[in-house]
Amino acid sequence: MKYTYYGHACFGIEVAGKHLLFDPFIRENELAKDIQIEDIQADYIFLSHGHFDHVADVVEIAKRTQATVVANFEIYTWLGKQGVDNAHPMNHGGSWRFDFGKVKMVNAIHSSELPDGSYGGNPAGFVFTTEEGNFYYAGDTALHMDMKLIPMTSGNLHFAILPIGDNFTMGIADAIIAADFVKCDRVIGVHYDTFGFIKIDQDKAKVLFAQHGKELILTDIGQTIEL
Ligand code: NI
Ligand code: MN
C-alpha cells in the first residue's frame, strides 16, 4: 500500500490498484499550497464527517475524477444537492465490499455539520479490510471505548490513521491509548499543525509514542510512503 499526505486530515491510499482519497481539504489549507489538486487521482473518496476541513474540496474532485464518494446518509444526501451523483451511503456498523476490499463504518465521537449549515449526521471512522492489509482511519474523534471493538471484529491492523492535534480531537496521550485499544503499534498522525489550536511538538510526540513501544509516522505534505 502507498500512503500520500495532502495535509490536515487529507491523504490518499493506493491499494489493489485503486486510489482512495480521504477528507479532501487542500485549497483552503495554506500548508498544502504546493499540492496540485488537479493532479490528485481518486477512484473513491471517503468522508468521515461534514465539517469544512474534511469536505471543502470534495465536490470539485468528485466531479473531475468521477470517484465514488462514500459517506453517511446525510452527507450522501447533501452531495446529491451539490450535483455529486456518484456516491455510496453507509451508516454505523455497516460494511460493504468494494472492488479493492471491505469497508466498515465505525463510531467516532465528534460533531458534524456541513458548510452550508445542513445536518451532517453522525461522524464516523472507517475500517478497511484488504488483501494487502487492514487499516483504520478514525476520522475526527475523541478516544472512546468502541475502538476496542475494531480488533474484535476486523482482525489485525497493518496501521491506524489517528488525529493527534488535540483541542478538536484526541491529543497525543489519548491517541497512544487508542493505538492500544485497536491493537496497532504503527500510527500515522493527522489533524495537527494546520490551525493555531492544533499545533504540536512533532519530535516530542514521536518520543512519547516510542516510549509506549509504538511508532508515530508524521509525513511531509506531498510525501508518499510505502506501508
Ligand atoms: Ni471535525
Ligand atoms: Mn476536523
Side-chain angles (χ1 to χ4, degrees):
M1 273 185 279
K2 274 189 189 142
Y3 169 92
T4 303
Y5 189 41
Y6 297 116
H8 197 51
C10 180
F11 52 92
I13 289 186
E14 211 181 314
V15 59
K18 300 292 176 186
H19 291 88
L20 282 44
L21 180 69
F22 295 78
D23 286 353
F25 171 68
I26 296 160
R27 287 208 188 278
E28 307 270 330
N29 181 1
E30 180 61 23
L31 300 181
K33 62 182 187 308
D34 293 334
I35 299 293
Q36 302 303 317
I37 196 168
E38 301 82 1
D39 296 340
I40 294 176
Q41 289 176 270
D43 298 299
Y44 295 92
I45 302 171
F46 290 87
L47 302 177
S48 63
H49 64 297
H51 284 156
F52 179 74
D53 59 318
H54 298 258
V55 305
D57 298 317
V58 68
V59 173
E60 175 186 338
I61 298 174
K63 286 183 177 173
R64 174 177 56 80
T65 59
Q66 292 300 305
T68 301
V69 186
V70 183
N72 70 23
F73 192 81
E74 290 78 6
I75 297 175
Y76 164 84
T77 305
W78 175 81
L79 287 165
K81 290 178 187 156
Q82 317 305 311
V84 176
D85 298 322
N86 192 17
H88 179 114
M90 292 186 77
N91 217 326
H92 298 72
S95 299
W96 185 259
R97 187 165 290 284
F98 293 91
D99 55 1
F100 59 85
K102 198 178 82 172
V103 178
K104 184 173 189 181
M105 182 174 267
V106 295
N107 288 348
I109 294 187
H110 192 65
S111 59
S112 180
E113 182 185 45
L114 287 151
D116 62 4
S118 358
Y119 174 54
N122 288 315
F126 296 100
V127 182
F128 295 78
T129 307
T130 83
E131 283 183 4
E132 295 175 31
N134 304 337
F135 62 96
Y136 167 48
Y137 170 45
D140 281 9
T141 185
L143 174 66
H144 61 78
M145 296 297 278
D146 285 357
M147 289 175 180
K148 290 189 173 187
L149 295 171
I150 291 170
M152 292 170 68
T153 54
S154 302
N156 286 339
L157 298 176
H158 190 45
F159 59 92
I161 300 156
L162 305 178
I164 57 167
D166 218 334
N167 191 72
F168 296 117
T169 68
M170 295 189 282
I172 308 294
D174 284 359
I176 290 169
I177 299 170
D180 273 334
F181 282 4
V182 301
K183 296 195 173 142
C184 182
D185 288 339
R186 184 193 276 160
V187 170
I188 300 174
V190 295
H191 214 277
Y192 63 93
D193 282 357
T194 321
F195 320 114
F197 293 125
I198 60 173
K199 289 238 187 323
I200 65 160
D201 181 331
Q202 296 191 18
D203 292 332
K204 195 173 151 198
K206 286 179 185 170
V207 168
L208 285 168
F209 268 77
Q211 283 171 352
H212 290 81
K214 300 179 195 309
E215 180 188 12
L216 176 65
I217 300 169
L218 301 177
T219 56
D220 292 333
I221 296 173
Q223 189 185 351
T224 299
I225 56 170
E226 195 82 46
L227 289 157

